Amino acid sequence: MSDNPRGESNTMESTQLNWIANFIWGIADDVLRDLYVRGKYRDVILPMTVLRRLDAVLEPTKQAVLEMKNSLDNSEIIHQDAALRQAAGQAFYNTSPFTLKDLRSRSSQQKLKADFEAYLDGFSPNVQDILEKFEFRNQIPRLSKADALGTLIEKLLSPEVNLSPNPVVNGDGTVKHPGLDNHAMGTVFEELVRRFNEENNEEAGEHWTPRDAVKLMARLIFLPIIDQIGDGTYLLYDGACGTGGMLTIAEETLKELSDAQGKKVSTHLYGQEINSETYAIAKADLLLKGEGEAADNIVGGPEHSTLANDAFPSLTFDFMLSNPPYGKSWKSDLERMGGKTGIKDPRFIIEHAGDPDYSLITRSSDGQLLFLVNMLSKMKQDTPLGSRIAEVHNGSSLFTGDAGQGESNIRRWIIENDWLEAIVALPLNMFYNTGIATYIWVLTNRKPEHRRGKIQLIDATQWYKPLRKNLGKKNCYLSEEDCKMILDTFLAFEDTEQSKIFPNAAFGYWKVTVERPLRLKGIDPERAYKAAEIRKLRESCEKADDAPPVIKKIHRKGTEPDPLRGLFPTTINGKPAVVEYEPDSDLRDTEQIPLLEEGGIEAFLRREVLPYAPDAWYLEGSVKTGYEISFTRHFYKPKPMRTLEEIRADILALEKETEGLLEEIVGSREGM
């Protein structure tokens, strides 16, 4: 499954693992063809593969576990999990008297069904959780009734395939099938998951990020600091972990890069996933790889929404990466959390820019940026490396939301804290269930000196290779060469055609409300009107551009005129005064003024507004700060205009065509 073959032994291993995956895939076709539609084979084959592997791993210590269980029961010890794990020598166990081999000899389907259910009931709580989330027990009546359960067990126990960590030997002591270590078993399982996802490609992208994209994300967070990563343990987190592939590929990548540096690095994986089946796959995959502790740190199911029910509120992580759902409503989470005005979650209501209740709450129709906020709340603050994050978003995260709204507030919070290192625009059709534009955001709370105060945008939309056959909507992939180009561009941090570097403030703007006075015919231009009077005047008087403006307040003494802020100098009863006019809501306008505008808001209004509306003003209290990021503005390349010669040639060619057409029409009429 690697892009690079690493020697002959790896190629042999890859061939062997592919053969095993093909064998299991073949069982699905042989046994389930008339029982299930093809897209549902996974409901049986994935849990059965997990069970067969766990059964094989537990076989050598089966007797020790049964003896320990008996001893614990006799001593009336309630909390038995730790002792039974120790007896099994694994992070899981089975206390039923059966193994799968025992079940082969059952003469009746009824007896097999009862004993198989007892066998399932004997597994440890972590395996029970996997079986429950797979909803595997629901399949047993159907399998039993069709006489397929025994056939499945028989085929998975076939001497033709070895899913055990121990080698299968011939009568003469030679090895028939080598043992399958945890990593190899995990690879087989991942391959089966991949095939089933491709089979069901209409839903695959919801919880499966392509391996090429994940490898790029992992390198974007590890490579810039690989020489600073020392020996030790690092925590990895994915708040929308799907089948767990992002965590395991990131773990592999970190180990590979660290080994090359001669570093001894270990990892702890943490993930949260709301979809039951994908959560079960993630947890099972880790158990099969021998990562029992990591499996315990994967939390999931419908009751475990990352937004409404954070599973790791007190933990911080070294590295985080995720592909959250785009354009998916989080309204039910919002209601559970108290509604838009009732949310008190410290992840989403924070203090920033002098506002103690700065809201990061986005529209309920799309919660993708909240997954990023969740990860930012888990950054390490007290370590030299802090935290590094890579997260995939669609284009709406770059620009959706007006100044002061949740999405813009999130961008402002991130950029003003100087956490955003880069955004990489990926090729179209990179993912399985969507052809829309996608972007990788790279963030850290320990920016290196040369990146501080700056953001890099990388246009990698043209760096890809086409797939020979589409996988859902995915029609291209990032080759090793493409990944290298992106990473080299990121690390070089230079302005090029594909890389643009900007100061943070380049993405910020002030949203300014510009007012014009209400002008009504027949009013007294030297008196102030109260709010109730103005309401009546609006109904009874006619508006006109040359009518006097309606005064709502007169400042008698001590107020300096400042027309741009709505304090206008005038004369009342022959004496100089400063007045405020009633604004005309029909003439109200807003201006989006870049934070980098030379001279700021006033210079912009004097240049762009006052020449056309000399009576305009703005209210300082109405100014809101917003942030948005436009790739199109910075990378759009207009097509060169055609030359006059090309246009002339086209016209002449068209004339020739129409001449022939006219002759045909005229000729046909003359012949009538």
Side-chain angles (χ1 to χ4, degrees), residues 540-594:
S540 59
C541 297
E542 188 184 337
K543 285 185 187 181
D545 290 344
D546 57 353
V550 177
I551 298 170
K552 72 171 182 179
K553 187 173 182 180
I554 300 172
H555 297 269
R556 296 289 176 186
K557 288 179 184 175
T559 302
E560 291 294 318
D562 189 350
L564 207 52
R565 289 175 173 76
L567 298 170
F568 291 89
T570 189
T571 303
I572 292 181
N573 299 327
K575 293 180 182 179
V578 173
V579 299
E580 290 180 39
Y581 296 127
E582 175 69 19
D584 185 343
S585 58
D586 291 339
L587 299 177
R588 184 173 293 144
D589 200 2
T590 57
E591 296 288 347
Q592 201 162 295
I593 303 170

Side-chain angles (χ1 to χ4, degrees), residues 49-342:
T49 303
V50 171
L51 289 172
R52 172 62 191 120
R53 171 64 178 189
L54 300 186
D55 186 76
V57 169
L58 292 174
E59 203 171 328
T61 56
K62 180 71 178 178
Q63 199 52 42
V65 168
L66 294 178
E67 287 168 10
M68 175 60 74
K69 173 68 176 163
N70 192 42
S71 169
L72 293 167
D73 287 347
N74 289 338
S75 303
E76 297 184 353
I77 292 171
I78 298 168
H79 301 293
Q80 302 183 355
D81 192 66
L84 290 169
R85 285 187 183 206
Q86 195 172 355
Q90 303 292 339
F92 51 90
Y93 51 85
N94 186 313
T95 58
S96 82
F98 310 118
T99 65
L100 283 179
K101 283 180 183 171
D102 297 330
L103 301 178
R104 277 197 304 196
S105 57
R106 299 298 180 262
S107 53
S108 74
Q109 278 301 319
Q110 195 174 354
K111 177 68 173 159
L112 174 60
K113 179 175 178 285
D115 287 353
F116 184 68
E117 286 173 338
Y119 168 75
L120 295 183
D121 292 343
F123 274 108
S124 49
N126 50 0
V127 179
Q128 295 296 345
D129 189 26
I130 292 169
L131 295 172
E132 180 192 326
K133 295 303 191 293
F134 269 131
E135 297 184 356
F136 179 59
R137 284 182 172 83
N138 295 350
Q139 311 303 328
I140 297 170
R142 181 192 276 197
L143 292 169
S144 179
K145 194 173 179 183
D147 205 12
L149 184 57
T151 314
L152 264 178
I153 294 170
E154 191 71 47
K155 284 186 177 288
L156 282 165
L157 290 168
S158 165
E160 292 302 309
V161 68
N162 182 22
L163 296 184
S164 162
N166 306 309
V168 173
V169 293
N170 294 310
D172 59 1
T174 56
V175 173
K176 183 179 181 183
H177 296 300
L180 205 61
D181 65 25
N182 288 328
H183 180 78
M185 183 63 222
T187 305
V188 169
F189 190 70
E190 278 183 6
E191 174 63 11
L192 289 170
V193 171
R194 184 185 69 78
R195 292 188 193 187
F196 282 123
N197 277 332
E198 285 176 14
E199 198 76 26
N200 299 345
N201 59 50
E202 75 283 351
E203 63 178 73
E206 285 183 25
H207 32 248
W208 192 41
T209 310
R211 197 175 181 87
D212 50 342
V214 182
K215 288 182 89 167
L216 174 63
M217 291 169 71
R219 290 181 201 173
L220 284 167
I221 57 176
F222 298 136
L223 268 182
I225 58 163
I226 193 61
D227 56 339
Q228 300 168 54
I229 292 178
D231 297 346
T233 302
Y234 294 88
L235 273 59
L236 277 64
Y237 169 73
D238 181 349
C241 71
T243 53
M246 212 171 254
L247 285 171
T248 53
I249 292 170
E251 182 181 46
E252 285 169 20
T253 307
L254 178 57
K255 188 171 185 332
E256 192 180 298
L257 294 171
S258 304
D259 286 351
Q261 295 268 323
K263 306 280 178 61
K264 288 186 171 60
V265 164
S266 63
T267 52
H268 291 315
L269 306 182
Y270 293 81
Q272 190 162 353
E273 169 57 37
I274 194 168
N275 180 286
S276 289
E277 188 195 32
T278 49
Y279 156 67
I281 291 170
K283 192 160 183 168
D285 191 29
L286 290 169
L287 268 188
L288 296 184
K289 287 177 176 166
E291 300 190 36
E293 189 180 338
D296 290 341
N297 292 333
I298 303 294
V299 177
E303 70 279 18
H304 287 291
S305 161
T306 302
L307 300 184
N309 187 8
D310 182 10
F312 310 105
S314 58
L315 285 180
T316 55
F317 303 95
D318 300 285
F319 301 106
M320 297 176 257
L321 59 176
S322 197
N323 179 11
Y326 326 135
K328 186 178 175 185
S329 170
W330 65 287
K331 195 171 183 181
S332 57
D333 281 334
L334 182 63
E335 287 165 2
R336 249 176 283 153
M337 296 162 78
K340 203 150 192 174
T341 54

